[in-house]
Amino acid sequence: MARSAVATPEEEPQRSPKSKPKRRFGRVRQLPSGRFQARYPGPDGVDRPAPETFATKKDAERWLVLKEAEIQRGDWMSPEAGKVTFAAYAAEWIDDRVLKYRTELLYRGLLKNHLVPAFGNRHLADIKEADVRRWRKERLAVVGQSTVAKAYQLLKSIMGTAVADELIRKNPCRIKGAGMPDTPERQTVPMTKVIEIVEAVPERYRALVLLGTFASLRWGELVGLRRTHLDLDRGLLRVSGALVEIGGGKVMEDTPKSRAGRRVVSIPPEIIPELRVHLDMFAETEENGRVFTGPNGGPLKHSGFRRTWNKARWGVGLPDLHFHDLRHIGNTLAASTGASLKELMSRMGHSSTRAALIYQHASQDRDRAIARALGKAFTKAQTNGHEKSSGTQRARKIIKFG
């Protein structure tokens, strides 16, 4: 008779107690203190401990599960990455960028006076949102809001690059609106006052005032103009450079403030006769000579023009008027003609935060229409000014209309 295939209890294999499966990621060990330490292999091959110990083994294992998931998502960041000091990283941040001369001076000044004293010795990873909020509040109690806004925006840009460089996980600068300077509204004055200013300045500076107002040029763009940039027969002006004062009485040629600063501007026909007179009497005679020069020749410097401007603005009863306000007056007039946003941006040389508008340019025909409207406003203001001042000889000499 065949033996039964069923094994007897004596024949059954002995089973060892069920062993717990070995962890597939990381290790946990109990320390002499009784707490538990978790360690894990980073994607860079370095074995690292958790930044803290745990009261229970289960807590340590839970931390390892989360760390493994972080690595699998691609969110892992080396704990040593953000250990560079803010001062060192910020200095490198500026050195690595191609900046305008004045922009670099501004950034280095903001770092030296406002950011490095607060964050210089701190590691990037140790700068938290609360630190930034506290710093901003303290700065606002000491300096103006506009300066603090610029410093905050620089800090935000530097820390944003640190995020892109994978040195820190997130940008600690998260205060809504903190980077927007609260710039006071520039004063807008009647056009008759512009005529008075033209009359008040020496004859060699009349064209400077007229172009600053009616061509929407910045100071650096004006003093950087050369004869080859003007086409008075066609009523056009090309902005392709600027002159920058770098201190110590020195100046340097520079590009416009932004890419949009390179532009062609239509000149109101009514001021062209005055420009022709200026070119004949005061501009450098070379083909590529400077349009505006100082009394003794050479580039016209803002520092040298300041006394003349102060005398003129006090003389017309506008002691707080800045030369740059002339550009604001012209821009306001251009906007009042019904010009579109794109047309105004093109004429003024402004860039927009919207990439779609950066390379948009107004049509030349429409720009000429804006110039004609500006010229008519100038004519009306001059006529009103003449009536009020009984038509002085000097006022009639400014511009002779065809």
Side-chain angles (χ1 to χ4, degrees):
M1 182 173 171
R3 187 177 179 182
S4 174
V6 179
T8 64
E10 291 78 12
E11 296 176 321
E12 289 184 357
Q14 297 295 317
R15 293 190 178 98
S16 60
K18 187 176 181 180
S19 59
K20 192 171 183 179
K22 186 178 179 181
R23 285 198 57 80
R24 62 187 180 87
F25 177 80
R27 307 180 309 284
V28 175
R29 67 169 181 146
Q30 189 172 20
L31 301 173
S33 64
R35 294 182 66 81
F36 292 84
Q37 181 190 63
R39 298 187 68 90
Y40 72 99
D44 56 358
V46 178
D47 188 74
R48 289 182 172 83
E52 58 185 347
T53 58
F54 305 91
T56 67
K57 185 176 182 181
K58 187 174 182 179
D59 289 339
E61 291 174 339
R62 185 181 296 114
W63 184 89
L64 284 172
V65 169
L66 295 175
K67 182 58 64 175
E68 182 182 20
E70 179 184 289
I71 293 174
Q72 291 178 345
R73 290 195 307 270
D75 293 338
W76 182 84
M77 186 175 293
S78 171
E80 292 82 20
K83 295 304 181 182
V84 60
T85 64
F86 175 81
Y89 186 78
E92 184 178 294
W93 187 91
I94 291 182
D95 292 339
D96 288 347
R97 276 157 179 74
V98 180
L99 301 171
K100 296 288 186 183
Y101 177 81
R102 293 200 174 202
T103 301
E104 183 173 342
L105 283 183
L106 172 64
Y107 285 177
R108 293 194 185 279
L110 292 172
L111 281 176
K112 177 182 177 182
N113 299 319
H114 304 288
L115 296 177
V116 169
F119 304 112
N121 294 326
R122 302 275 296 276
H123 290 149
L124 294 177
D126 295 336
I127 301 175
K128 308 301 181 184
E129 292 182 40
D131 300 323
V132 176
R133 288 195 300 269
R134 190 178 305 110
W135 163 82
R136 179 173 178 268
K137 181 178 180 180
E138 292 172 353
R139 286 285 85 195
L140 286 172
V142 178
V143 295
Q145 189 274 342
S146 180
T147 299
V148 177
K150 292 175 183 177
Y152 174 86
Q153 188 58 49
L154 177 59
L155 176 63
K156 184 177 181 180
S157 296
I158 293 172
M159 300 304 283
T161 303
V163 173
D165 288 344
E166 298 184 349
L167 299 179
I168 57 176
R169 192 173 301 280
K170 66 177 183 178
N171 195 325
C173 300
R174 305 168 72 87
I175 306 173
K176 188 176 181 179
M180 298 295 293
D182 186 16
T183 306
E185 182 72 21
R186 292 189 179 275
Q187 58 179 318
T188 300
V189 301
M191 284 299 302
T192 52
K193 283 294 183 181
V194 176
I195 301 301
E196 292 181 31
I197 294 172
V198 174
E199 297 175 4
V201 299
E203 190 173 4
R204 71 178 305 118
Y205 299 127
R206 292 177 185 172
L208 183 77
V209 173
L210 290 171
L211 282 181
T213 305
F214 297 103
S216 295
L217 266 61
R218 303 174 177 91
W219 171 265
E221 296 169 344
L222 283 167
V223 297
L225 280 176
R226 294 183 178 271
R227 283 180 174 270
T228 52
H229 297 156
L230 295 177
D231 185 348
L232 298 186
D233 292 335
R234 299 172 60 198
L236 298 176
L237 179 155
R238 177 169 53 88
V239 181
S240 61
L243 201 64
V244 178
E245 296 181 41
I246 60 176
K250 298 180 180 180
V251 296
M252 62 176 288
E253 299 282 354
D254 199 3
T255 55
K257 186 175 181 180
S258 66
R259 191 177 312 190
R262 295 181 180 274
R263 63 199 188 277
V264 175
V265 179
S266 293
I267 307 170
E270 289 79 359
I271 72 172
I272 288 179
E274 182 73 16
L275 298 182
R276 293 188 185 279
V277 171
H278 177 87
L279 290 177
D280 290 340
M281 296 181 62
F282 305 109
E284 292 180 342
T285 57
E286 296 83 359
E287 182 180 357
N288 195 40
R290 298 186 185 281
V291 174
F292 297 107
T293 62
N296 300 321
L300 177 60
K301 301 174 184 177
H302 198 279
S303 54
F305 179 71
R306 187 176 294 114
R307 180 178 297 180
T308 298
W309 177 253
N310 288 342
K311 183 177 179 181
R313 63 180 182 174
W314 276 95
V316 301
L318 296 171
D320 296 325
L321 186 71
H322 298 282
F323 187 88
H324 190 73
D325 292 332
L326 296 178
R327 171 176 156 88
H328 176 65
I329 294 168
N331 291 346
T332 302
L333 282 170
S336 69
T337 67
S340 70
L341 175 62
K342 293 178 183 178
E343 292 166 343
L344 292 173
M345 287 171 55
S346 176
R347 186 173 183 85
M348 300 171 194
H350 278 176
S351 297
S352 171
T353 55
R354 296 188 178 186
L357 296 180
I358 290 179
Y359 303 107
Q360 294 288 345
H361 299 279
S363 69
Q364 195 170 92
D365 289 342
R366 182 57 182 159
D367 195 42
R368 289 181 186 276
I370 296 173
R372 287 194 295 270
L374 289 171
K376 291 179 181 178
F378 176 75
T379 302
K380 182 178 180 181
Q382 188 189 44
T383 301
N384 293 340
H386 286 174
E387 292 175 354
K388 291 182 179 180
S389 61
S390 301
T392 63
Q393 290 292 329
R394 188 176 184 185
R396 285 196 297 271
K397 187 180 177 182
I398 299 173
I399 294 178
K400 183 178 180 181
F401 296 94

